[in-house]
Amino acid sequence: MAIFKKKKEYTIDDIILPEHIGIIMDGNGRWAKKRGLPRSAGHSAGANNFRKIIRYCSDIGIKYLTMYAFSTENWKRPKDEVNSLMKLFKQYLEEALRDFKDDTIVLKFIGDTTAFSDDIQALMKDAVEGSKDRDGMVLNLAMNYGGRSELVMAAKNIANKVKRGEILPEDIDEKMISDNIYTAGQPDPDLIIRPSGEYRTSNFLLWQSAYSEYVIMDKLWPDFDFNDMNYALIEYAKRNRRFGGV
Ligand code: IPE
Ligand code: IPE
Ligand code: MG
């Protein structure tokens, strides 16, 4: 007689698709170091993987995908490294604009994009404008994004509304904060995946992730593939989301 009830084996058939997934694309530098390559080679491999994973998420029916590409703190890195990242952003945006006719993905940027060079900002604007009427997955690219600076921005917006007499301080509620951050109108992320094995948020979606399920994985971002994505989805299916209830 079995004393312990056998744990349910979860498989790909148990997947309940999250509506919104966030991914912290981490580990490019370590990936390069392991191969004796410069960090920029890791970013290049990471950018290629980004292209594959966004396609996969769109194909399996994810509605919202938020990819953390560059944080408000990443400007601290050596100039060379920042420059190589800017070059990759530019390449990706140019390519996205070229492939526009056949694509269904709606591209958005979250973060303070005014910090980028004029040519990158112009490409971002064209990409947003050119994809806004599509009906596919919404891809939020987090660029110069920080959860704290996002909340500072929301506080300033709301304070200005009070100052102009449009609202009273007592009107401020959680919905108003949600409506004044970059992801306004979108559902909160159900699942956040962090490759590279670090157990921290690194300032990603601080407000939005209050009840997100985190899956931390040891794989470095350039090695993170479809099987890893499926693993994260199966992990998510196992979670019992209570939202503070019972
Ligand atoms: C993530 O990889 C890419 C960015 C933060 C832009 P890292 O460059 O942080 O890689 P590790 O963490 O040093 O391995
Ligand atoms: C988080 O990774 C930012 C991105 C992946 C864009 P970092 O490598 O910057 O985070 P820390 O420094 O390990 O916390
Ligand atoms: Mg890192």
Side-chain angles (χ1 to χ4, degrees):
M1 191 179 76
I3 299 176
F4 297 107
K5 212 171 131 194
K6 196 167 176 287
K7 269 203 171 161
K8 177 174 162 34
E9 296 274 348
Y10 282 80
T11 69
I12 200 93
D13 298 327
D14 295 299
I15 286 179
I16 316 151
L17 273 192
E19 195 178 7
H20 185 171
I21 299 180
I23 303 184
I24 302 174
M25 298 187 277
D26 195 21
N28 295 348
R30 277 163 282 175
W31 183 93
K33 195 170 174 208
K34 258 176 51 184
R35 287 163 180 76
L37 297 169
R39 290 179 62 86
S40 59
H43 294 313
S44 197
N48 287 335
N49 201 40
F50 160 85
R51 291 172 173 88
K52 287 190 203 147
I53 298 293
I54 58 169
R55 204 49 61 195
Y56 185 65
C57 288
S58 155
D59 288 348
I60 63 173
I62 300 301
K63 299 261 190 309
Y64 298 88
L65 177 67
T66 301
M67 302 294 269
Y68 203 7
F70 194 82
S71 76
T72 46
E73 288 73 41
N74 287 148
W75 298 106
K76 287 183 204 156
R77 296 185 177 204
K79 218 172 167 26
D80 272 7
E81 182 169 348
V82 172
N83 286 342
S84 68
L85 284 164
M86 296 302 143
K87 227 172 114 187
L88 288 169
F89 296 153
K90 205 171 158 208
Q91 258 172 27
Y92 168 70
L93 289 166
E94 284 168 348
E95 176 194 300
L97 285 165
R98 263 199 314 275
D99 296 344
F100 254 21
K101 322 183 266 322
D102 323 308
D103 213 331
T104 60
I105 294 176
V106 179
L107 192 57
K108 295 188 184 221
F109 293 95
I110 64 169
D112 178 10
T113 53
T114 62
F116 294 104
S117 64
D118 290 347
D119 53 346
I120 291 185
Q121 284 189 58
L123 290 166
M124 285 171 157
K125 204 167 153 258
D126 289 349
V128 170
E129 196 50 41
S131 71
K132 72 177 190 330
D133 296 325
R134 293 182 183 158
D135 58 359
M137 180 180 82
V138 172
L139 170 63
N140 296 313
L141 253 182
M143 304 252 292
N144 191 25
Y145 173 86
R148 287 185 169 183
S149 81
E150 179 177 42
L151 291 173
V152 169
M153 170 193 78
K156 283 183 184 157
N157 284 345
I158 294 169
N160 278 318
K161 283 180 196 155
V162 174
K163 193 174 159 197
R164 292 194 298 265
E166 292 164 18
I167 55 166
L168 295 167
E170 45 275 36
D171 296 331
I172 301 169
D173 58 8
E174 292 186 8
K175 180 164 187 307
M176 194 178 288
I177 308 277
S178 293
D179 289 343
N180 279 278
I181 54 180
Y182 296 118
T183 49
Q186 300 185 13
D188 287 338
D190 304 291
L191 166 66
I192 295 182
I193 304 168
R194 181 159 193 166
S196 94
E198 307 291 359
Y199 284 74
R200 53 177 172 264
T201 68
S202 299
N203 209 4
F204 187 48
L205 302 178
L206 296 184
W207 175 269
Q208 299 89 330
S209 66
Y211 277 101
S212 302
E213 295 297 331
Y214 256 88
V215 174
I216 311 283
M217 293 171 68
D218 277 333
K219 277 280 186 84
L220 302 170
W221 172 249
D223 290 330
F224 184 95
D225 62 16
F226 306 144
N227 290 325
D228 299 312
M229 193 70 209
N230 290 343
Y231 169 86
L233 289 169
I234 293 168
E235 272 305 299
Y236 172 75
K238 293 183 194 171
R239 305 285 172 88
N240 176 11
R241 302 183 79 190
R242 288 184 291 277
F243 299 96
V246 286

